[in-house]
Amino acid sequence: MASRADPGDTGGRRDWRDVARDAADLALLGILLTLAAVPLLTAAAAAGTASAAVHDWTRTGSWPSARTNVRRFGRAVLPGVPVSLLALAGAALLAAD
């Protein structure tokens, strides 16, 4: 499988199928991010995990393994709780205004 980081021998041009595949991968990542953020306390952890996955994808051209993503998500849940609560408080203040 060709790496996203290596344009290959096509002179840097990508086929429309490559673009469609990348768009589908990013759409799937967005759907998974939304599902993981449904319980509000995991929203920050889900966003951080998705951000790290996109970073890996842009650097290496391949997505990290599921085990790596689950480990990142697990490590980010507890530190992300205060951020999620702060965002909830901010949203409540805006709604009250």
Side-chain angles (χ1 to χ4, degrees):
M1 180 163 95
S3 170
R4 206 177 162 278
D6 289 332
D9 57 36
T10 60
R13 297 186 66 202
R14 297 176 44 189
D15 189 21
W16 67 270
R17 290 173 288 220
D18 296 331
V19 175
R21 184 189 66 234
D22 291 347
D25 287 348
L26 288 173
L28 178 62
L29 180 66
I31 292 168
L32 293 175
L33 170 65
T34 302
L35 290 176
V38 167
L40 186 64
L41 294 180
T42 61
T49 303
S51 175
V54 169
H55 174 76
D56 288 351
W57 178 62
T58 58
R59 292 288 181 201
T60 64
S62 63
W63 293 101
S65 67
R67 178 180 289 178
T68 301
N69 285 329
V70 169
R71 187 176 66 243
R72 285 177 177 164
F73 183 78
R75 284 189 308 204
V77 169
L78 286 179
V81 169
V83 175
S84 295
L85 291 176
L86 184 63
L88 178 62
L93 287 174
L94 287 173
D97 187 29

